[in-house]
Amino acid sequence: MNLENFALLIGGGSMITWCISFLLFTRTSMKTIERKMLAEGIDIPWWDEKGWGFRISIFTSILARGKPSKYPLLADEAILRHSRTYDRVLAIIVEVSFVLFMIFAAISYFFFDN
């Protein structure tokens, strides 16, 4: 196995991991947290009401970091309060697999000719 195949294998595996974990995170974790926040009276932000999905990456970064931001775009404290260990682990998997996918995609693009 040469270096190009190794990069493609790790990049492809991390892409598949990212796709599956992203889907699981949006369908299970975000729905549960947002349902609990709505019951508490905290609405979805006006800038993402149409469902563009900008808040998904913010959710994952809040849960992966584990502490609220100094300048929050969302209700960080409420997200952390309503999250489970499952949600935090899944958020970390989403973040790490996306970073690995981007790194190996850039390596494959810039260093290997196909």
Side-chain angles (χ1 to χ4, degrees):
M1 176 180 283
N2 60 10
L3 190 60
E4 183 177 1
N5 289 339
F6 178 74
L8 290 174
L9 181 68
I10 299 296
S14 61
M15 182 189 73
I16 292 169
T17 304
W18 175 70
C19 289
I20 292 170
S21 62
F22 185 82
L23 183 66
L24 283 173
F25 182 79
T26 55
R27 297 295 177 191
T28 60
S29 299
M30 272 190 65
K31 272 196 177 180
T32 304
I33 294 169
E34 285 183 341
R35 190 177 303 124
K36 291 178 182 178
M37 287 172 61
L38 283 173
E40 202 175 85
I42 303 169
D43 288 330
I44 295 172
W46 63 269
W47 45 265
D48 204 23
E49 283 180 349
K50 301 282 186 200
W52 284 85
F54 295 126
R55 69 185 185 279
I56 299 170
S57 61
I58 299 171
F59 262 78
T60 57
S61 64
I62 291 168
L63 292 174
R65 200 173 47 243
K67 60 182 181 178
S69 176
K70 291 180 183 177
Y71 308 104
L73 291 174
L74 297 173
D76 292 6
E77 292 85 14
I79 292 170
L80 291 170
R81 185 174 57 246
H82 295 303
S83 66
R84 305 166 291 190
T85 305
Y86 167 79
D87 303 330
R88 292 180 183 180
V89 169
L90 196 54
I92 291 170
I93 292 171
V94 170
E95 293 277 320
V96 170
S97 61
F98 181 72
V99 169
L100 282 176
F101 167 56
M102 284 293 126
I103 288 171
F104 282 100
I107 288 171
S108 296
Y109 179 78
F110 289 113
F111 296 116
F112 303 122
D113 293 330
N114 280 340

